[in-house]
Amino acid sequence: MDSDSSPRKLDPGQDSAALKALTHPLRLRLLGLLRQHGPATASELAVRTGESSASTSYHLRVLARYAFVAEAEHRDGRERRWQAVHAVTSWSNEGMLATSGGRALLGTFWRRSIEHLQHSVVQHEADIQDGRLGEEWHEPSGVSDLMPRLTPESLRELWDAFEAKVTELTARDEHDPSAERVVLVTAGLALAAREPTAPESTEPLTADPRSDRGTRPDATSEAGPRSKGTS
């Protein structure tokens, strides 16, 4: 069976064990690889990750226990193949922030997304340098760190509009041979005002992403959760 394109929404109260299972970095990476590249065996994933097949097999079984992955159709009878059950995992931020454990999990997921972005930047640069991506990808690729002033309602509207557009364009390009996998790591984090003497925790950059998209750092393992509560 193919991965379900609809999100799997977890309840932080009822599904805390499943959410906690995702915090292991190798499990998150394995899930991301299955979502990105399709079904694979534990041995194939061991080669991709540099881990032992015993380790990948164990963590795949943990993911299967919580219904993140399932057995796929076998090419032969020698080794089971695994596939992701859903393309996206989501949750309620409010539910996660209601407990100290949930807050810790949420922070872990966000930091995994930042790690994924860092790995993706390195791979993107190598793909450009080695000619695996053509010049048509140079201009549209990039990262930005805009800091607009928005109300909570406007930020929610922005997320909804973004997700709707991604869904629309993904469906449109599904069978286009020129399409490539694109890593979109998104964040919308409100920052409270501080006194002028208080140190700033972030330093915004100055490049305008509309004119120069390739000059900013931003922030998964391949399955890293989004800042709004989706991975």
Side-chain angles (χ1 to χ4, degrees), residues 117-133:
L117 179 64
Q118 291 171 333
H119 291 306
S120 298
V121 168
V122 172
Q123 182 177 333
H124 174 79
E125 291 175 336
D127 289 343
I128 291 289
Q129 181 173 337
D130 297 340
R132 288 186 290 268
L133 290 174

Side-chain angles (χ1 to χ4, degrees), residues 152-193:
E153 294 76 18
S154 293
L155 182 55
R156 184 183 296 274
E157 182 179 340
L158 180 60
W159 277 113
D160 291 342
F162 172 80
E163 291 171 357
K165 194 63 178 179
V166 170
T167 299
E168 173 194 335
L169 296 178
T170 300
R172 188 185 74 181
D173 295 348
E174 182 178 6
H175 301 296
D176 191 320
S178 68
E180 298 282 4
R181 179 72 62 180
V182 174
V183 174
L184 292 175
V185 179
T186 54
L189 305 173
L191 303 177

Side-chain angles (χ1 to χ4, degrees), residues 24-126:
H24 192 286
L26 180 55
R27 288 175 206 153
L28 205 57
R29 190 176 182 198
L30 294 173
L31 180 57
L33 287 170
L34 292 175
R35 286 174 172 173
Q36 182 174 355
H37 300 293
T41 66
S43 297
E44 290 168 342
L45 291 168
V47 172
R48 284 183 175 273
T49 60
E51 300 285 340
S52 69
S53 58
S55 178
T56 56
S57 179
Y58 168 76
H59 288 293
L60 285 165
R61 291 197 301 272
V62 174
L63 289 170
R65 184 187 312 157
Y66 295 105
F68 292 111
V69 305
E71 286 193 53
E73 180 183 351
H74 290 205
R75 290 175 182 163
D76 54 49
R78 290 181 295 176
E79 187 175 3
R80 70 176 64 177
R81 301 174 73 230
W82 298 94
Q83 66 180 11
V85 177
H86 298 88
V88 173
T89 306
S90 66
W91 55 80
S92 163
N93 278 350
E94 289 184 347
M96 294 285 272
L97 292 170
T99 66
S100 59
R103 289 193 294 272
L105 288 175
L106 195 58
T108 297
F109 289 143
W110 289 351
R111 284 162 181 77
R112 293 278 181 258
S113 294
I114 295 171
E115 292 171 7
H116 186 199
L117 179 64
Q118 291 171 333
H119 291 306
S120 298
V121 168
V122 172
Q123 182 177 333
H124 174 79
E125 291 175 336

Side-chain angles (χ1 to χ4, degrees), residues 3 8 14 20 58 72 86-87 99 113 117 136 140 142-143 149-150 157 162 177 204 212 214 221 226 229:
S3 297
R8 177 190 177 187
Q14 298 181 0
K20 189 173 182 179
Y58 168 76
H86 298 88
T99 66
S113 294
L117 179 64
E136 68 275 12
V143 182
R149 287 179 59 84
L150 299 173
E157 182 179 340
F162 172 80
D212 187 354
S221 123
R226 254 190 348 224

